[in-house]
Each structure stands twice: as C-alpha cells, then as structure tokens.
Amino acid sequence: MKDSLVLQSRVSAHPDSRCWFLAWNPTGTLLASCGGDRKIRIWGTEGDNWICKSVLSEGHQRTVRKVAWSPCGNYLASASFDATTCIWKKNQDDFECVTTLEGHENEVKSVAWAPSGNLLATCSRDKSVWVWEVDEEDEYECVSVLNSHTQDVKHVVWHPTQELLASASYDDTVKLYQEEGDDWVCCATLEGHESTVWSLAFDPSGQRLASCSDDRTVRIWRQYLPGNEQGVACSGSDPSWKCICTLSGFHTRTIYDVAWCQLTGALATACGDDAIRVFEEDPGSDPQQPTFSLTAHLHQAHSQDVNCVAWNPKEPGLLASCSDDGEVAFWEYHQTAGL
Amino acid sequence: MRMERVSGLLSWTLSWVLWLSGFSEQGAAQQPHITKEKVLEVYDLILTIQDPEKPNTLEELEVVMESCVEVQEINEEDYLVIIKFTPTVPHCSLATLIGLCLRVKLHQCLPIKHKLEIYISEGTHSKEEDINKQINDKERVTAAMENPNLQKILEQCILEPETVLGANNIYNDEEEADKQHFSTFSASASTSRFLPYWSSCHDFL
C-alpha cells in the first residue's frame, strides 16, 4: 500500500500562505492553483518539471478559495472571500479578467461550471447558491438565488451529464437542485453527516455522489429514479437519493476534499491529518450496497492539512494535491493489480 | 571460581532485569514528562492574552488555567493541543473573540508541529456548540481574520505587555514600575473602543 502513491514532484505554489484548491483544465495539460496570497497560478510541464506558466494577481482583494475551468478550457472562474467571482479569459499564456460577478453578501466559497458551458453556480457564507447563465457574448446573468441551506454553503458541483447541481454545507446536509419549468428548485436533501460537509464528487456515470465531512467520514449516495427496481420510494417525479455506503474509521481529522477519478473510478481524499488516501470499490460488490477498500494511505503527504486532491482528467493515476503549507504535489497512483 | 562466575552471572542478570524494569518505568514516566512540558509551553503563550473587554489577562480572569490545556502526542514530534476555556460572560461575540485570540496566538507563536482544537468548557455557555463549531472551522476563521477591524482587536489582545511598553522594561524603582503597569492597563482598556466596530456587524465569523 505504501508504494501505490508515489511522489512525482513538489512545488512551492503559494509561499508563506495556504494553497486552498486545484483544478485541472479539461485536456489535463494545465493545473490552476489558488491561495491565501490572493493569487492564482497556472502550472504546466516543461520536460519532467512542473513550472509556473502564469500568475493571475490583481483579480481579488482577499483569499481566492476555489477555481474552475469552463468545459471548453478557455475560461477560468475564481471564487474569493472578497465576495466576488472573477471570470478570466485565456489567451495563450495570458489570462484577462473579463467579468466580475457580484451579488453574494459575503465570502464566495465555491464556483462550478455546468457540462454544457452555459451555466455557472456559486455559493457563499450568506447561505445561498446562485445559478448564472452565460450567453454567446460572454454576458452573465443571475437566473436563480437558492436559499435552501440554513448555513454557510461550502461547495457546489455539477452532475457530469445532466443539469443537476449539488451543494454541500456547514448545516451538515447536501442539497440537489434542478430546473423545474422556469425556476431552479431544491429537489432533494441528503441528511446523514454529523457535521459540516466540505466537498462533493460525482462518479463517472453520475449515478453516485460522494460527500466528505468534518465528521471524518465519506458517504456515497445513489440516485433512485421513480419506479426503480429496488423499491426505493420517490416523491412524485423527483429522484430519491439514499446513502449506500459510509467510509468511517479511516480518517483521523476533518476531510476537506474528495475526488472521484473519471477514468478509473478511484476515490481520493484530502484530510486534515496531512494524509492522502485512495479507495477503490471492491470488484463484484453489490451496486446497491457497495464496499470500498483503502488501497493507498500516504501519511505526511504534506507537512500540514491537505485541502484538495484532483485527478488528472486524461492521464490515469496522475493526482495533484495541495496544502496549508502552500505546496502543490503531484503523485502517481498505481492501481492494485486484480484482487 | 565457578561459583564466582555463577554469582557474577546471576547478579549481572539481576541488575539487567532491574535495569529493564527501571527503564520501562522511566519510559512510561517520560511520556507525561514531555507532555507536561508541552502543556506549560502552550499555557505560557495563552495566559498573557488580554481579555477583549476587561483590562485583565485571561489567566487573571480564570478564562484559562493550566488544567484547561491538554497535549497529546499524535506522532513523533507531532501534537494535538486541546484548550477548553471558560468565558466570563455568556455574550457570544466575546466568547468567539477569545477563541480566535487563542487560535491566532498559538498559530503565530507555538513552534512545535501541532493540530489545535479549542472549545468552551462544557456548561458555561448556552451557545457553546455553535461557537465551538465556528472557532474550529479553519475556513471561517481564516475569512474572519481577513477583516482589518478584527485584526486590530486581536493584535491588541495578543500583544505581550512588554511590547506595549517598549523594549526596555527594566525599572529603576517600584514607582516607575507602577507607572508602566498602569500604562499597560490603559492600553488594554482601549480595546473596548474597538468592540463597537465589530459588535455592530456581528456577522464576522
């Protein structure tokens, strides 16, 4: 297990500061990092090394908490504690801030682009989730303000294929939203975590959702459509979500991030105990009650809390992580050969 | 000769066994010794923190005591520090502010590798669960700390009295010492001037 996650490279991405989040571009050639130094850095390879290709500063007045690439790869959105979201347009190695989205009352905690590229979601400590529409002229318009959560909303993520949005909150719940007619509505609330839910990740099919929490567990939820074979009750035409697996006893502190590899199905976690862990579903396990095994556990992956883990979308096994120590690390994960 | 050798061997074995049991006792005793040392290291840093409202330190007001600090060794040279403080008043904002002061002071000054948990001691506040959750959420704490008004207040609370007075704190006589002492009090009394800044926008954390 010790040899399954091997360090490839380490860079001091945000010196004397925290690195909060990472995002790979859709082609997997660039990695964006953001941090407490209010900067965004874009990393690319030059031979065997990862080098900083661009620095995006002057965009935000406070910590940049998350970044997200558009599906076309030409835009980068950044969410900041200064209550704004910047949209950067990429022109070769240069990035220009083309729009600043305002409206949240306080810190923006997350931003995510829908797979269609026409919708953007943001969330904030003001307890709301906003849905924005983008048109061909790069004009952004807020089409919905969702006030379903009762506390700080930590993370938003879109379903890989449907226009279904998920949010994670300090109120210990996960909520799902979809468009009904002209309005966006909350169509499901997932309860079960005993403390703040920090992050979410859909599996490659979009049928399952992983959530990670301050309660030191990862929960896997499955969507059941009305009329499903398993007899899971649904209300009306809304799908129902049920917790089908809980990974507990593995993490010793808050789990800040979870990432589901879209190529291999491996699940990685970023934990406040400075470790990175990888889990894989046991082959042949019941899809309605899957079991996952810990296949990699890297103690001291960083010298402080690990805040984010991100699988490269094109290169199987390439994992990036970042930490409160300001560093970004690149890892190679070797899957256990057959069980 | 043979007898001597046997008795020599016997006494050697006996002393080896005694040494072993002494070592394991010492080993067991070493753990609490190291921990006690760390507890004092942590406590020394927090006892001088000024209360945000009153011109006294947290120790003087019994908001913190040596017994409220717990240190556990998680790994070699890696510790879990747990502090349970007792706010003097049930006012939420002040309790939260004390929690922040503790966090910031240790983050800045505690050199050992550690994870920190801060709690209000059980039964001393009606909203203790809410406050505990906030002060242990590092994202919320970081965001609050970016507020310049809050930074000013925390700085005043955390500054050591010597730094308030200046570098030279060797007094020639008691009267001089008293004068210096008073100026410390007046400096800390001024922190209450800052309270309106953040009390009015109580949504700082």
Side-chain angles (χ1 to χ4, degrees):
Chain A
M1 226 201 273
K2 233 196 326 185
D3 299 329
S4 341
L5 206 54
V6 176
L7 179 70
Q8 198 197 71
S9 181
R10 215 184 267 278
V11 291
S12 176
H14 296 269
D16 302 320
S17 195
R18 270 192 171 104
C19 184
W20 277 110
F21 202 72
L22 300 170
W24 290 101
N25 68 346
T27 52
T29 54
L30 298 173
L31 181 74
S33 70
C34 62
D37 59 1
R38 309 176 210 158
K39 297 187 171 131
I40 299 162
R41 284 190 170 81
I42 312 293
W43 303 87
T45 47
E46 200 162 87
D48 280 337
N49 300 314
W50 287 93
I51 58 146
C52 181
K53 301 208 134 189
S54 321
V55 182
L56 281 55
S57 40
E58 318 294 326
H60 289 292
Q61 257 98 71
R62 290 177 53 182
T63 287
V64 186
R65 181 60 179 93
K66 296 217 173 91
V67 282
W69 293 89
S70 63
C72 63
N74 296 321
Y75 297 88
L76 186 71
S78 58
S80 168
F81 285 175
D82 68 8
T84 70
T85 304
C86 276
I87 309 293
W88 306 81
K89 187 166 183 173
K90 182 180 187 295
N91 186 358
Q92 312 218 302
D93 279 346
D94 279 319
F95 284 79
E96 189 197 336
C97 178
V98 293
T99 315
T100 302
L101 305 181
E102 293 174 343
H104 279 296
E105 285 167 31
N106 46 48
E107 300 90 57
V108 188
K109 302 289 178 90
S110 185
V111 59
W113 240 295
S116 63
N118 297 327
L119 294 173
L120 195 70
T122 58
C123 67
S124 162
R125 176 165 67 90
D126 67 11
K127 307 172 194 169
S128 68
V129 171
W130 289 40
V131 181
W132 308 77
E133 235 171 45
V134 193
D135 67 20
E136 301 81 33
E137 273 110 58
D138 287 352
E139 296 283 320
Y140 290 77
E141 189 197 339
C142 173
V143 294
S144 188
V145 174
L146 297 149
N147 290 302
S148 309
H149 280 295
T150 56
Q151 294 276 4
D152 181 13
V153 190
K154 300 292 199 188
H155 196 75
V156 279
V157 69
W158 289 93
H159 187 279
T161 53
Q162 298 165 27
E163 270 176 8
L164 177 70
L165 180 65
S167 64
S169 168
Y170 184 99
D171 68 11
D172 309 349
T173 71
V174 173
K175 284 182 183 279
L176 292 148
Y177 314 85
Q178 61 192 21
E179 212 170 357
E180 247 160 57
D182 273 333
D183 278 319
W184 280 85
V185 295
C186 173
C187 56
T189 298
L190 312 185
E191 287 168 333
H193 277 299
E194 290 163 16
S195 190
T196 300
V197 188
W198 279 97
S199 192
L200 300 164
F202 278 99
D203 79 345
S205 70
Q207 275 185 316
R208 296 178 304 180
L209 178 63
S211 59
C212 65
S213 166
D214 178 59
D215 68 6
R216 306 174 186 185
T217 70
V218 171
R219 283 176 184 255
I220 315 284
W221 311 82
R222 193 190 178 91
Q223 184 183 50
Y224 289 91
L225 300 170
N228 61 80
E229 291 175 352
Q230 291 75 28
V232 176
C234 294
S235 87
S237 54
D238 282 341
S240 199
W241 290 77
K242 198 177 121 185
C243 180
I244 55 171
C245 178
T246 302
L247 303 176
S248 59
F250 296 99
H251 300 82
T252 62
R253 294 197 71 74
T254 304
I255 311 170
Y256 289 109
D257 198 22
V258 62
W260 215 322
C261 182
Q262 302 296 291
L263 301 171
T264 65
L267 205 58
T269 60
C271 188
D273 61 10
D274 311 350
I276 293 172
R277 292 169 178 81
V278 183
F279 297 85
E280 288 200 59
E281 195 173 350
D282 299 327
S285 75
D286 179 2
Q288 315 310 327
Q289 277 187 299
T291 54
F292 285 77
S293 293
L294 181 68
T295 53
H297 180 180
L298 196 67
H299 294 273
Q300 297 299 301
H302 289 276
S303 60
Q304 290 180 50
D305 291 5
V306 190
N307 293 320
C308 180
V309 275
W311 293 104
N312 186 291
K314 295 295 176 201
E315 201 179 316
L318 177 57
L319 181 72
S321 64
C322 71
S323 165
D324 276 354
D325 64 15
E327 291 191 344
V328 169
F330 297 88
W331 310 89
E332 272 161 29
Y333 170 67
H334 303 287
Q335 278 182 298
T336 37
L339 276 162
Chain B
M1 184 76 153
R2 207 191 274 173
M3 278 303 289
E4 268 176 4
R5 224 191 250 167
V6 169
S7 67
L9 187 63
L10 203 60
S11 67
W12 179 84
T13 311
L14 206 58
S15 59
W16 184 70
V17 168
L18 282 172
W19 177 80
L20 259 185
S21 60
F23 180 77
S24 62
E25 259 172 23
Q26 200 188 20
Q30 244 168 21
Q31 276 294 345
H33 171 70
I34 290 172
T35 306
K36 172 88 180 173
E37 201 183 283
K38 298 298 172 204
V39 164
L40 286 172
E41 203 175 332
V42 171
Y43 188 60
D44 272 339
L45 289 170
I46 65 176
L47 65 96
T48 55
I49 296 173
Q50 304 285 323
D51 182 83
E53 202 194 22
K54 304 186 169 102
N56 297 99
T57 65
L58 296 185
E59 184 188 38
E60 282 162 3
L61 297 168
E62 290 185 332
V63 171
V64 298
M65 277 164 270
E66 199 183 302
S67 55
C68 79
V69 178
E70 193 190 322
V71 177
Q72 293 169 21
E73 196 170 15
I74 320 173
N75 280 310
E76 209 178 307
E77 300 296 317
D78 191 0
Y79 301 89
L80 172 61
V81 176
I82 303 173
I83 298 176
K84 294 194 176 152
F85 71 98
T86 309
T88 49
V89 289
H91 195 311
C92 293
S93 301
L94 286 168
T96 308
L97 194 54
I98 294 173
L100 284 180
C101 286
L102 290 165
R103 202 163 263 288
V104 172
K105 182 70 193 272
L106 291 175
H107 178 73
Q108 284 177 0
C109 305
L110 187 61
I112 57 173
K113 182 171 180 345
H114 67 279
K115 300 289 179 193
L116 178 60
E117 286 173 18
I118 300 176
Y119 302 104
I120 293 184
S121 43
E122 288 111 71
T124 58
H125 200 295
S126 56
K127 292 259 177 86
E128 65 192 49
E129 268 179 39
D130 292 345
I131 297 173
N132 287 338
K133 193 171 181 180
Q134 282 182 344
I135 58 185
N136 288 298
D137 180 319
K138 76 176 183 193
E139 188 188 65
R140 293 284 279 260
V141 170
T142 306
M145 291 306 302
E146 289 184 346
N147 178 328
N149 288 337
L150 192 59
Q151 275 171 14
K152 272 193 212 118
I153 300 167
L154 286 167
E155 252 163 59
Q156 285 285 318
C157 294
I158 290 168
L159 276 173
E160 294 286 325
E162 294 80 49
T163 47
V164 173
L165 296 169
N168 186 5
N169 51 10
I170 296 165
Y171 312 123
N172 290 324
D173 52 47
E174 268 183 50
E175 201 188 306
E176 185 64 18
D178 275 340
K179 271 194 215 156
Q180 301 287 13
H181 207 44
F182 273 126
S183 64
T184 312
F185 276 156
S186 58
S188 56
S190 70
T191 57
S192 50
R193 277 194 286 119
F194 290 109
L195 294 185
Y197 269 102
W198 58 269
S199 291
S200 58
C201 48
H202 56 82
D203 183 36
F204 68 87
L205 180 59

